Amino acid sequence: MIISEQWLREWVSPDIATEELAHQITMAGLEVDAVSPVAGQFSGVVVAEIVSARQHPDADKLQVCEVNVGAETVQIVCGAPNARAGLKAPLAVVGGVLPGDFKIKKAKLRGVESFGMLCAEQELGLSDANEGLMELPDDAPVGSDLRDYLGLDDHTIEIGLTPNRADCLGLAGVAREVGLLNSLPVTQPSIDAVPATIEDSLPVELVAPERCPRFVGRVLRGIDIARPSPLWLQEKLRRVGVRSIDAVVDVTNYVMMELGQPMHAFDLNALQGGIRVRTAQAGESLELLDGQTVKLDTGTLVIADHEKPVAMAGVMGGQGTAVSQQTTDLFLEVAFFTPQLMAGKARSYGLHTDASHRFERGVDFTLQTTAMERATALLLDIVGGEAGPLQESVAAEHLPARPDVSLRAARIKRVLGFAMEPAEVERILAGLGLGVTTTDKGWSCTVPSWRFDIAIEADLLEELARVYGYNRMPTTRTTTEMVIPARPEGHLALSGVRRHLAARGFREAITYSFVDPKLQTLFDPGLQPVALTNPISADMAVMRTSLLPGLVSAVLRNTKRQQPRVRLFETGLRFLPGEDCLKQVPTLAMVVTGERLAEGWSTDAQASDFFDLKGDLESLLSLTRSGGSFSFAAARRDALHPGQTALISRDEEVVGYIGALHPAVGQELGLAAPLYVCEITLSALLQAELPQFTELSKFPEVRRDLAIIVDREVPAEEVMTNVRASAGTYLTDLTLFDVYEGKGIDPKRKSLALGLTFRDSSRTLSDQDVNLAVDQVVDSLEKNYKAELRN
């Protein structure tokens, strides 16, 4: 929300500087993001009138103008296409200074002297418009200082409003706050009822009163659309970031920025029959003011005539009934739409407008008549015409209920930490527009129609605290019994997991818990994710059932920005739909793509593979001091390569998976290199065993290496499990140090090289002991896998 300081001070003008005003507004909970001057720093610029303009003798695109500056007439060489006799425009005289410390001097242009410079808006720092000279009204006083004439010693104040403060989406709401903060009355403009001079009207039917419980309309005939908006109106709109279009649109925008009530003007002659406020019917479409045609959903509220939709209610009007240069008759519309039912409708069409921004958050449901009278009076004054009677259609039973909210005096001291004087409590609450009645325990408050965020006692306490001033509240020390909770030693700290991964070259990522439905379906097509009722955007519409969609999106963003080597991890919640409730599962996910090691002179470039990520994961599992309880088993999973995917189990319970992204999926997403991913539940990862001391053996170890040939389909992990089971108690270590397939071996078989280490804690093992254990291993492998020793 952008406001003009001068415009604000027309309503309420505290005796404080701009910086202090901005700080005061921020401390009241309306955070000021920026304070900016409305124009650049310049001097020596006056209102001038072009008396004559003739072609430059040596330049086709230049004109030599005689310009009246009040005290004298000077010669100016100008290249603006709209320079003409009778035009009033800003002139920087010799000695003047424009923004950027550009000093104006007497000059010669193609041999013709020029004593100053006629200016466009961009050259004065007013806007980006530079197509021609800034055109001033015909009644602008020649020779007057432009800064004084336009009131340019002003600032814009940009306020970052939170969604609950829709009451401040108009100048009136901000003025109400400033008046209360400074104990000053607010001077509102006089808004009187405009008497009807014609009887013309349109019938209005509220077909969906639960969505639109109040609708106000009025017919205006005989307007002159050619009349421009007055300069004061254009300037106020410019300073709040709204472009001037024509007088009718400018007035509707002005009322919205002043009162916070959006409204719309239709070309009356383009409407057929009357007005119906209804939901869209199947197959209906609407061409909007921005030129795009949208297919309307059946749940979308529209304003229609008796033939077709003419506007998307609370979002944008239709092109077919838009005001044009041929318009002579208007139908003005202003309404209240139920905020809860408006939420997300504009975004579902990829739209966001000033109107939808306000209606989604809540507009004062008693303001519509006032806004209509304000707009009518302004339009009659600017474009003329005659006004018909004001038509109001109301479904009172569907208007927001406003139950009283009780506030206990004792609760103020308990929550805020100090006892506030009753008179101060009543001053603040009354200043906010609440009706205040004293009760035995405190006060009963009637909530005003413009505050949708006050419903319980805590809301009133918040209002008291922010208006009183957080910086004024006394500081009190909190005393409580601090009990240090027990910390089980068998539970790993998540911070330790993060540090371990960071030490292995990973960077932590934090992604949104809501993701693109299409991306979600790629990774978990069998799960129906929870859809958001009011998503931020169409590509963030469902809750994630996996952390991978967010991480893969992060990889894409990095690789598209010349970062081919990416190693990311994230810890967060997965949201799994259940029969009775939503399950929130804490999870760790990791992704790797690009080269194995960072680029350097000492290593050759080698691409990462499945076993790099598996090694990183196994190093992480070793923190549990029970790495042997984890196992990997080949498996298939959607979106992953069928030959490079494994399930992760702990004590035979599946706790995660690891694999390579399927090449087809990678190509669809636009990944240039293979991507390896894994996901594991944190509950399994953080459960560790307590370290136990085992006496070191004083006796030497003995190693035997075996090279066995087995079928290619037999997993090495399965073979190693069999070896451990058959080798006996002397086996202390088992290592797979080579896998060979190729020349000299049956194409359907492979060679596994195993290193077996034996040791006893009480004696030195003899060759007979070791040979017996090795024979047991060989016999078991021959029996179970038809294994052969490789010569």
Side-chain angles (χ1 to χ4, degrees):
M1 176 65 188
I2 300 175
I3 63 171
S4 157
E5 182 185 359
Q6 280 188 5
W7 194 0
L8 174 64
R9 289 185 182 275
E10 292 176 11
W11 286 61
V12 57
S13 185
D15 188 19
I16 54 178
T18 304
E19 293 75 14
E20 187 177 350
L21 176 63
H23 177 72
Q24 188 182 74
I25 294 173
T26 295
M27 293 305 295
L30 310 179
E31 184 178 3
V32 173
D33 292 333
V35 177
S36 308
V38 300
Q41 289 297 318
F42 62 82
S43 60
V45 180
V46 300
V47 176
E49 181 179 8
I50 300 177
V51 178
S52 64
R54 67 181 188 276
Q55 185 66 43
H56 191 289
D58 294 324
D60 293 338
K61 295 184 178 181
L62 296 179
Q63 297 186 74
V64 180
C65 303
E66 296 297 324
V67 181
N68 177 16
V69 295
E72 59 178 333
T73 299
V74 297
Q75 179 175 280
I76 304 294
V77 178
C78 177
N82 63 333
R84 62 187 183 276
L87 174 67
K88 290 187 177 180
L91 173 69
V93 300
V94 174
V97 181
L98 295 183
D101 198 28
F102 180 69
K103 297 179 180 179
I104 303 299
K105 301 176 182 178
K106 182 175 71 172
K108 275 190 178 183
L109 298 176
R110 294 289 185 94
V112 178
E113 288 187 321
S114 182
F115 299 88
M117 186 175 87
L118 290 165
C119 300
E121 292 183 20
Q122 185 186 54
E123 292 159 336
L124 299 173
L126 296 175
S127 73
D128 294 331
N130 62 355
E131 298 82 6
L133 300 179
M134 179 180 180
E135 300 194 12
L136 299 175
D138 293 338
D139 59 355
V142 174
S144 60
D145 185 272
L146 186 72
R147 296 195 76 91
D148 295 337
Y149 173 63
L150 295 180
L152 296 179
D153 292 324
D154 185 15
H155 293 84
T156 59
I157 301 175
E158 184 176 352
I159 304 174
L161 292 174
T162 50
N164 63 312
R165 293 309 306 273
D167 58 300
C168 290
L169 284 170
L171 182 76
V174 180
R176 186 187 304 118
E177 293 283 318
V178 173
L180 174 59
L181 294 172
N182 294 278
S183 300
L184 293 174
V186 177
T187 306
Q188 300 185 21
S190 177
I191 303 176
D192 300 321
V194 176
T197 55
I198 56 175
E199 297 301 322
D200 297 28
S201 63
L202 278 185
V204 175
E205 183 181 358
L206 300 182
V207 182
E210 72 283 356
R211 294 171 176 261
C212 176
R214 174 170 276 136
F215 187 99
V216 177
R218 171 172 267 165
V219 170
L220 268 69
R221 289 194 179 275
I223 68 165
D224 183 3
I225 194 70
R227 296 184 189 178
S229 298
L231 182 64
W232 65 264
L233 177 56
Q234 295 184 40
E235 270 296 297
K236 283 186 175 179
L237 290 178
R238 180 185 70 80
R239 296 180 194 189
V240 297
V242 179
R243 181 172 58 92
S244 175
I245 298 175
D246 59 52
V248 174
V249 176
D250 288 354
V251 165
T252 58
N253 284 334
Y254 179 84
V255 171
M256 177 177 67
M257 302 308 297
E258 181 182 55
L259 302 180
Q261 170 68 61
M263 58 187 307
H264 187 65
F266 298 93
D267 187 328
L268 178 64
N269 297 319
L271 297 173
Q272 305 299 321
I275 293 294
R276 288 181 179 147
V277 185
R278 59 172 174 82
T279 54
Q281 299 170 0
E284 285 188 321
S285 61
L286 176 65
E287 183 182 3
L288 299 173
L289 287 174
D290 62 1
Q292 66 170 312
T293 300
V294 295
K295 184 178 180 181
L296 298 170
D297 296 331
T298 53
T300 300
L301 186 68
V302 298
I303 298 173
D305 60 16
H306 286 179
E307 292 185 358
K308 61 190 179 304
V310 295
M312 192 184 298
V315 180
M316 190 181 293
Q319 186 65 46
T321 55
V323 175
S324 67
Q325 293 302 309
Q326 289 72 44
T327 300
T328 57
D329 304 321
L330 299 176
F331 179 73
L332 294 180
E333 165 266 315
V334 57
F336 171 76
F337 302 111
T338 306
Q340 296 87 338
L341 301 179
M342 289 295 297
K345 291 299 181 183
R347 285 192 294 277
S348 68
Y349 291 95
L351 299 171
H352 182 81
T353 63
D354 287 333
S356 67
H357 187 80
R358 286 162 172 79
F359 282 124
E360 288 179 352
R361 288 156 176 76
V363 171
D364 182 355
F365 58 87
T366 65
L367 187 61
Q368 289 69 48
T369 300
T370 302
M372 178 63 77
E373 299 291 7
R374 178 65 164 158
T376 303
L378 289 170
L379 285 171
L380 294 179
D381 185 52
I382 297 170
V383 297
E386 296 182 291
L390 187 144
Q391 304 164 248
E392 184 177 18
S393 302
V394 182
E397 67 278 13
H398 293 292
L399 289 172
R402 277 293 180 264
D404 290 351
V405 180
S406 297
L407 175 63
R408 294 165 290 176
R411 193 68 177 165
I412 296 174
K413 183 174 182 180
R414 178 174 177 80
V415 176
L416 301 187
F418 73 104
M420 190 178 294
E421 291 294 328
E424 180 68 1
V425 173
E426 294 172 10
R427 182 191 74 83
I428 292 174
L429 296 178
L432 291 168
L434 283 82
V436 183
T437 304
T438 304
T439 64
D440 294 340
K441 296 183 178 180
W443 300 268
S444 177
C445 303
T446 303
V447 181
S449 54
W450 57 81
R451 291 301 296 268
F452 288 81
D453 60 328
I454 298 178
I456 58 177
E457 185 179 40
D459 298 329
L460 295 176
L461 292 169
E462 179 188 0
E463 294 299 299
L464 290 177
R466 69 176 190 83
V467 175
Y468 182 83
Y470 295 116
N471 53 335
R472 293 177 55 202
M473 295 172 65
T475 302
T476 55
R477 294 184 180 275
T478 302
T479 57
T480 184
E481 268 190 50
M482 304 297 288
V483 179
I484 299 176
R487 181 179 175 182
E489 294 183 66
H491 184 81
L492 291 179
L494 185 57
S495 58
V497 172
R498 291 187 174 120
R499 284 194 297 270
H500 183 86
L501 288 173
R504 294 188 68 87
F506 284 82
R507 293 181 180 272
E508 184 173 10
I510 300 175
T511 64
Y512 284 104
S513 297
F514 18 89
V515 296
D516 188 338
K518 296 179 181 177
L519 197 57
Q520 169 65 39
T521 304
L522 272 179
F523 288 91
D524 268 337
L527 284 177
Q528 184 63 38
V530 176
L532 299 179
T533 304
N534 184 20
I536 294 176
S537 62
D539 59 353
M540 303 177 77
V542 297
M543 302 300 290
R544 65 187 181 192
T545 59
S546 167
L547 271 61
L548 292 182
L551 281 179
V552 171
S553 297
V555 170
L556 280 169
R557 282 192 294 273
N558 280 274
T559 55
K560 289 178 180 178
R561 288 163 176 78
Q562 294 77 50
Q563 299 296 322
R565 183 176 184 267
V566 183
R567 297 166 65 84
L568 298 175
F569 77 93
E570 180 178 11
T571 57
L573 296 176
R574 293 185 294 133
F575 301 89
L576 305 180
E579 294 181 3
D580 301 324
C581 61
L582 183 69
K583 297 180 181 177
Q584 301 184 53
V585 183
T587 304
L588 166 71
M590 301 158 61
V591 293
V592 169
T593 188
E595 294 184 3
R596 177 174 297 147
L597 300 173
E599 185 178 14
W601 62 269
S602 61
T603 58
D604 295 330
Q606 295 180 338
S608 299
D609 59 24
F610 174 89
F611 296 101
D612 291 317
L613 181 59
K614 184 170 181 282
D616 291 324
L617 179 60
E618 287 177 328
S619 75
L620 190 61
L621 299 180
S622 68
L623 297 178
T624 65
R625 295 179 291 274
S626 59
S629 63
F630 290 91
S631 61
F632 297 83
R636 288 177 175 268
R637 184 177 175 86
D638 293 309
L640 299 186
H641 194 297
Q644 297 187 55
T645 302
L647 292 179
I648 307 167
S649 300
R650 182 169 191 177
D651 298 328
E652 300 184 357
E653 179 186 354
V654 175
V655 294
Y657 60 90
I658 182 173
L661 195 67
H662 197 289
V665 176
Q667 185 176 8
E668 181 180 346
L669 294 175
L671 288 167
L675 178 70
Y676 302 92
V677 303
C678 80
E679 199 167 52
I680 184 170
T681 58
L682 281 176
S683 58
L685 181 61
L686 300 181
Q687 182 182 348
E689 291 186 1
L690 291 176
Q692 294 182 350
F693 174 74
T694 302
E695 186 177 356
L696 298 177
S697 175
K698 302 176 182 178
F699 302 96
E701 61 183 25
V702 180
R703 172 165 169 149
R704 293 284 191 273
D705 291 346
L706 292 177
I708 61 170
I709 298 175
V710 296
D711 291 341
R712 292 180 63 179
E713 290 75 16
V714 177
E717 177 69 24
E718 187 175 334
V719 172
M720 295 174 72
T721 300
N722 183 276
V723 170
R724 291 189 185 96
S726 59
T729 58
Y730 298 146
L731 182 70
T732 58
D733 189 34
L734 175 63
T735 303
L736 173 68
F737 62 87
D738 185 46
V739 178
Y740 175 74
E741 298 175 6
K743 185 178 179 180
I745 294 180
D746 187 337
K748 296 182 180 180
R749 313 201 84 189
K750 63 183 176 182
S751 170
L752 303 178
L754 302 173
L756 291 77
T757 302
F758 299 92
R759 173 185 275 172
D760 185 37
S761 60
S762 61
R763 64 186 180 90
T764 300
L765 294 176
S766 65
D767 287 343
Q768 183 179 359
D769 296 326
V770 176
N771 291 338
L772 179 62
V774 171
D775 290 341
Q776 291 176 181
V777 169
V778 173
D779 291 342
S780 178
L781 293 176
E782 289 178 348
K783 178 180 179 182
N784 292 291
Y785 303 105
K786 298 180 180 180
E788 301 174 3
L789 287 176
R790 182 181 173 192
N791 294 327

